[in-house]
Amino acid sequence: MDLPPLHRFHPRLLDSLRGYTRQRFLADLGAGLTVGVVALPLALAFAIASGVKPEQGLATAIIAGFLISLLGGSSVQIGGPAGAFIVIVYGIVQRYGLANLLVATMLAGVLLLAMGALRLGVLVRYVPVSIVIGFTNGIAVLIALSQLKDLLGLHIDQMPADFFGQLGTLYAHLHDFNPAALALGLACMALVLLWPRLPRRFAVLPPTLVALVLAGLATWALRLPLDTIGSRFGGIPPGLPDFAWPALEWASLQQLFIPTLTIALLGAVESLLCARVADQMSEGRLPRHDPNQELMAQGLANIAAPLFGGLPATGTIARTVTNLRAGATSPVAGMVHAAALLLIVLVAAPLASAVPLAALAGILLVVALRMGEWHEFTRLRRFNLPYRTILLGTFALTVVFDLTVAVQVGLVLACLFFIYRMSTLFRAEPLPDFPDAPPGVVLMRLYGSLFFGAVGKVEGLAERLPADCRELVLDMHQLVSMDSSGLDALVQLQRGLAQQGRRLSLCGLNEQPASLIERGGLALGEGGIHHDLAAWRRARGL
């Protein structure tokens, strides 16, 4: 059998530049500058919440964001550090260290590149929506929990990575509660949430940036006793981090299989979900995304960003939606967004030192609030037990354990429920259309799919036949598919009937079951397989 061809590397930018006009460039320029301003506070907040330096978040937004737009398969998707990665990155840093995070990110990039090249992008769409909602809401809860330390102004040197450990640590340090930090954080949350309701002349400004500027000014003017980026991290250097190869050790690589798989899986799911949202919002104005090209671009971006200390990157829904609403028409807007961020870092990096961490915590709490699909919990009563079990199970496992365990268990549960559901759809029933069947003949019709989960309904047929039965006729024109286990069940049925001196005949085979029976060697003898029941009747002289 020939292997399918590899995906042809063809960035969407090449198609977008055909017939590119000055008017479209100006639209992309404006959209890119808008997204760049929106991305600045988010890149800082995501990095700090992940337990790394703020400049690493900026480097990720610049390098990965530029490469994802340059090489990706979507016209408007914006890549960079994402809120969904916060708890993953924090956990990896705590368990394996920063150097191994960079290695795991590069390995995940290689895996994403291979997935795109092998045309596996479409498989990501097969992840059930109940699993996606479950782990998304779980990640949102963990993000919110991780920000309570800075929102309350608690002095905790090292937060545990696990859920219950974080709860215990927060409770043990509540006596260090800082009212000024809480007031400032809540004020930033309220500003970001209420800003879109202001008159249009104000709403054009990104609320997260306004919140950071006002919080920094308030901290300076009122001399508030708050931790800032400068006091904790020593400020942000004006420029990208230096190029450096992460240290590679075989002993470390063996431990990074699960972190690598987690980063790759989450990156693939998030980026392709984001691209699908962009396709829907564009309402046909822009070409649909190429999932395989998008995965290849995500892979290359995650290989390159760690060479400058960058974090895992993926498609980001909030920035992509902002880009689309700002009038972007091509990947040029995403490239402009990265260039704008680089310019801001080169010119205004020292100003970020005055940003209070409580303000960033407030912004991330809003991100967590908007990230979760909380209304899905209220709608659970409308769905069946398997859907509720998978969603709530994935949610609980994400919060209590980690995303990898949650997705693995969720997929296993989804498969088991699917097998059960498909097995209930298979039926073997007496045929009511032939009440005049000759004596000694039992006619039955098979419905659905005869696969490993349903073979039990066939295996006992021989024992349930009446004593005077000489021939069992199975009408299979309603049987849509059959696997090797189903074929084996028919073989065992035929052998059992033959030992009893009885005969098995099949009628109305569809293409797939007929092909499998022919290749599988089910020996029914001459006159054992018929085109339909009418042909069987003629063969029996009826």
Side-chain angles (χ1 to χ4, degrees):
M1 181 179 65
D2 294 334
L3 294 176
L6 297 179
H7 177 74
R8 184 172 66 94
F9 190 84
H10 186 82
R12 179 56 51 85
L13 180 66
L14 299 178
D15 297 327
S16 299
L17 291 180
R18 295 194 185 99
Y20 197 67
T21 62
R22 179 175 179 273
Q23 183 179 6
R24 288 182 61 193
F25 172 73
L26 292 177
D28 288 335
L29 179 63
L33 292 174
T34 300
V35 179
V37 174
V38 171
L40 176 65
L42 295 178
L44 293 172
F46 291 160
I48 293 173
S50 300
V52 299
K53 296 180 179 180
E55 58 263 30
Q56 292 180 265
L58 292 173
T60 307
I62 294 169
I63 297 171
F66 184 84
L67 291 176
I68 289 172
S69 295
L70 175 69
L71 305 174
S74 172
S75 299
V76 294
Q77 175 146 276
I78 301 296
F85 273 122
I86 289 177
V87 294
I88 306 300
V89 171
Y90 186 84
I92 294 174
V93 171
Q94 294 301 308
R95 293 186 180 95
Y96 305 102
L98 177 59
N100 284 326
L101 167 67
L102 303 181
V103 174
T105 303
M106 295 182 69
L107 293 176
V110 174
L111 185 56
L112 286 167
L113 182 62
M115 289 172 62
L118 295 173
R119 300 176 179 267
L120 299 180
V122 68
L123 297 182
V124 178
R125 300 179 182 178
Y126 297 156
V127 177
V129 66
S130 53
I131 293 179
V132 175
I133 294 172
F135 77 66
T136 300
N137 287 3
I139 289 174
V141 169
L142 293 175
I143 291 174
L145 180 64
S146 70
Q147 296 311 299
L148 294 182
K149 174 175 75 77
D150 288 329
L151 181 71
L152 299 175
L154 304 180
H155 295 285
I156 301 175
D157 295 332
Q158 193 70 42
M159 282 288 287
D162 64 289
F163 175 72
F164 293 109
Q166 290 186 27
L167 287 178
T169 302
L170 290 172
Y171 180 78
H173 288 78
L174 281 179
H175 61 276
D176 288 335
F177 163 64
N178 186 339
L182 178 61
L184 188 68
L186 293 178
C188 289
M189 287 184 64
L191 188 149
V192 174
L193 289 171
L194 299 176
W195 190 264
R197 302 184 181 181
L198 296 178
R200 183 184 255 338
R201 63 178 179 275
F202 295 106
V204 295
L205 297 173
T208 52
L209 185 63
V210 174
L212 290 189
V213 171
L214 293 180
L217 290 174
T219 302
W220 171 77
L222 301 176
R223 300 293 190 270
L224 297 178
L226 300 175
D227 288 337
T228 64
I229 291 179
S231 66
R232 183 173 296 182
F233 299 99
I236 300 176
L240 292 175
D242 294 333
F243 176 91
W245 283 100
L248 298 176
E249 297 180 2
W250 176 246
S252 299
L253 292 178
Q254 292 176 302
Q255 301 176 356
L256 296 179
F257 174 75
I258 295 299
T260 297
L261 192 62
T262 302
I263 294 172
L265 176 63
L266 183 58
V269 171
E270 288 288 320
S271 65
L272 297 187
L273 285 178
C274 177
R276 290 175 65 184
V277 169
D279 288 343
Q280 294 167 2
M281 291 188 62
S282 68
E283 297 179 342
R285 293 187 294 106
L286 299 171
R288 296 185 65 83
H289 75 283
D290 179 347
N292 298 310
Q293 183 63 39
E294 189 62 33
L295 287 184
M296 295 179 77
Q298 300 283 340
L300 292 171
N302 280 287
I303 293 172
L307 298 176
F308 295 88
L311 309 175
T314 186
T316 57
I317 292 180
R319 278 159 276 175
T320 298
V321 170
T322 301
N323 188 39
L324 193 58
R325 289 177 175 171
T329 68
S330 76
V332 172
M335 298 162 65
V336 170
H337 128 272
L341 276 175
L342 178 59
L343 182 62
I344 293 172
V345 169
L346 294 175
V347 175
L351 298 178
S353 299
V355 173
L357 298 180
L360 291 175
I363 291 173
L364 281 179
L365 283 170
V366 175
V367 170
L369 180 64
R370 291 174 173 172
M371 177 180 176
E373 298 185 52
W374 312 113
H375 63 280
E376 292 294 336
F377 288 134
T378 63
R379 298 175 63 234
L380 281 177
R381 68 186 68 174
R382 305 179 188 177
F383 297 97
N384 56 22
L385 178 61
Y387 182 91
R388 296 196 294 263
T389 302
I390 294 171
L391 193 153
L392 293 176
T394 305
F395 171 75
L397 290 172
T398 300
V399 172
V400 177
F401 293 99
D402 60 48
L403 176 67
T404 305
V405 173
V407 172
Q408 289 173 347
V409 174
L411 287 174
V412 170
L413 287 175
C415 291
L416 292 176
F417 283 127
F418 178 77
I419 292 169
Y420 172 76
R421 176 59 178 161
M422 292 299 295
S423 67
T424 61
L425 296 178
F426 174 80
R427 307 194 312 276
E429 299 179 348
L431 198 60
D433 301 338
F434 286 82
D436 58 341
V441 176
V442 174
L443 294 161
M444 302 193 74
R445 178 171 289 163
L446 304 186
Y447 300 84
S449 178
L450 181 55
F451 71 113
F452 64 90
V455 295
K457 298 180 180 181
V458 172
E459 290 172 342
L461 281 181
E463 288 74 20
R464 296 197 297 269
L465 295 175
D468 62 344
C469 175
R470 294 179 290 100
E471 181 178 6
L472 173 63
V473 181
L474 298 181
D475 178 20
M476 302 177 68
H477 84 276
Q478 295 284 359
L479 188 74
V480 295
S481 65
M482 181 170 63
D483 68 358
S484 57
S485 296
L487 174 62
D488 183 69
L490 290 181
V491 170
Q492 297 303 321
L493 175 62
Q494 189 271 336
R495 290 176 180 172
L497 292 174
Q499 290 174 359
Q500 299 171 4
R502 295 168 172 174
R503 181 174 187 174
L504 174 65
S505 297
L506 306 180
C507 302
L509 289 167
N510 288 311
E511 180 179 357
Q512 190 272 333
S515 173
L516 182 60
I517 286 174
E518 181 181 357
R519 289 181 284 112
L522 176 58
L524 296 179
E526 184 178 354
I529 298 180
H530 305 270
H531 183 267
D532 52 25
L533 279 174
W536 172 81
R537 292 175 68 91
R538 289 193 298 269
R540 298 294 182 266
L542 302 176

